[in-house]
Amino acid sequence: MATAAPKTPSPEIRSQIVASATKFFSRFGFHKTTMEEIARNIHKAKGLIYYYFRSKEELFNEVLRAELQAVKDELLVIVRSPDDAIHKITEYIRTRYELLNRAVNYHETLKADFFEKYHFVKDVRDDFDAFEQEQLTRIIREGSEDGYLQLRSIEPTVNVAMMIIKSIDIPLFLQDKYAEYEQTIVELLTMITRSFQNQRKE
């Protein structure tokens, strides 16, 4: 028997829908997942799903937003820590790759950049980029003020850092190279950290 749409939205039902969608999108991807499967998994009618989300695209956006919010929350712990800026930026980069390696819906949007544009995720992706820009600016400014970094201008430095950091998302996640290069990334970051620390001592 079909479940009638509630008179007022229920946060609990909305959460159930998002949890179910996360399960299916993460396992089968956007195109192979159907709204029927998502609804059936929580014993609801497909029509009820559309009461909360106007389309599969909107629901995928919500799943992606939640996935990236979890990444943001963990990265903010690093940014707000009392550690020095060089330790923060190396830990930020290491943790970023570790967390995004598990963010399979984010991976799908990277794949879509090559094969099929997911225009409907642009706002969520742009929001995550803006978040990263803001956090890297904060860390690099701290490093400049503390004397770890000698910079002519912070903004170009942040822009180049963003380009470098994001440039290996494709090989790490889509080509499944993260496990192969994880230790190398840690070693490189450790080397950079020691280099800046030694420069400051001098």
Side-chain angles (χ1 to χ4, degrees):
M1 182 177 178
T3 304
K7 293 181 180 180
T8 57
S10 164
E12 182 180 350
I13 293 177
R14 182 184 174 87
S15 295
Q16 289 176 0
I17 293 169
V18 173
S20 179
T22 300
K23 172 183 175 181
F24 282 93
F25 285 140
S26 299
R27 184 173 180 182
F28 301 111
F30 174 77
H31 285 296
K32 293 183 179 179
T33 294
T34 68
M35 296 292 259
E36 288 86 350
E37 291 170 323
I38 293 169
R40 191 182 309 120
N41 182 59
I42 55 174
H43 310 291
K44 305 293 183 184
K46 183 176 70 171
L48 185 66
I49 307 296
Y50 286 108
Y51 176 77
Y52 287 88
F53 299 95
R54 291 171 294 180
S55 64
K56 188 168 73 166
E57 288 82 0
E58 185 177 299
L59 181 51
F60 183 82
N61 247 348
E62 184 63 26
V63 168
L64 178 63
R65 185 179 292 107
E67 184 177 76
L68 291 178
Q69 185 60 51
V71 174
K72 288 181 185 180
D73 290 343
E74 294 205 41
L75 292 178
L76 278 173
V77 173
I78 296 169
V79 175
R80 293 168 177 169
S81 75
D83 295 326
D84 65 67
I86 300 305
H87 182 272
K88 282 184 185 181
I89 199 165
T90 53
E91 188 63 14
Y92 179 99
I93 295 170
R94 184 196 67 77
T95 304
R96 175 194 188 275
Y97 289 135
E98 178 184 320
L99 295 173
L100 288 181
N101 184 57
R102 302 196 296 264
V104 294
N105 294 296
Y106 175 73
H107 298 179
E108 182 156 356
T109 69
L110 293 177
K111 190 187 302 180
D113 288 345
F114 286 93
F115 304 110
E116 186 174 352
K117 299 294 184 182
Y118 285 12
H119 297 293
F120 56 88
V121 301
K122 183 179 185 302
D123 288 347
V124 180
R125 287 276 300 273
D126 286 350
D127 177 74
F128 186 67
D129 286 348
F131 166 84
E132 291 217 274
Q133 190 94 13
E134 180 181 348
Q135 305 319 312
L136 288 173
T137 298
R138 177 175 174 178
I139 296 172
I140 289 173
R141 181 175 287 116
E142 284 180 13
S144 179
E145 292 172 352
D146 291 345
Y148 278 109
L149 304 172
Q150 303 298 320
L151 305 172
R152 289 186 178 181
S153 179
I154 290 176
E155 184 176 351
T157 303
V158 173
N159 291 340
V160 171
M162 284 279 290
M163 286 188 278
I164 294 171
I165 291 168
K166 293 177 63 178
S167 67
I168 61 172
D169 281 358
I170 299 297
L172 287 185
F173 308 136
L174 296 192
Q175 298 174 17
D176 201 23
K177 299 286 187 180
Y178 178 74
E180 180 179 349
Y181 292 123
E182 179 182 10
Q183 186 57 38
T184 301
I185 291 170
V186 171
E187 290 170 355
L188 285 171
L189 291 172
T190 300
M191 182 174 66
I192 292 169
T193 302
R194 288 175 179 170
S195 173
F196 279 113
Q197 288 172 338
N198 290 336
Q199 286 179 27
R200 195 180 192 198
K201 289 176 183 178
E202 293 173 0

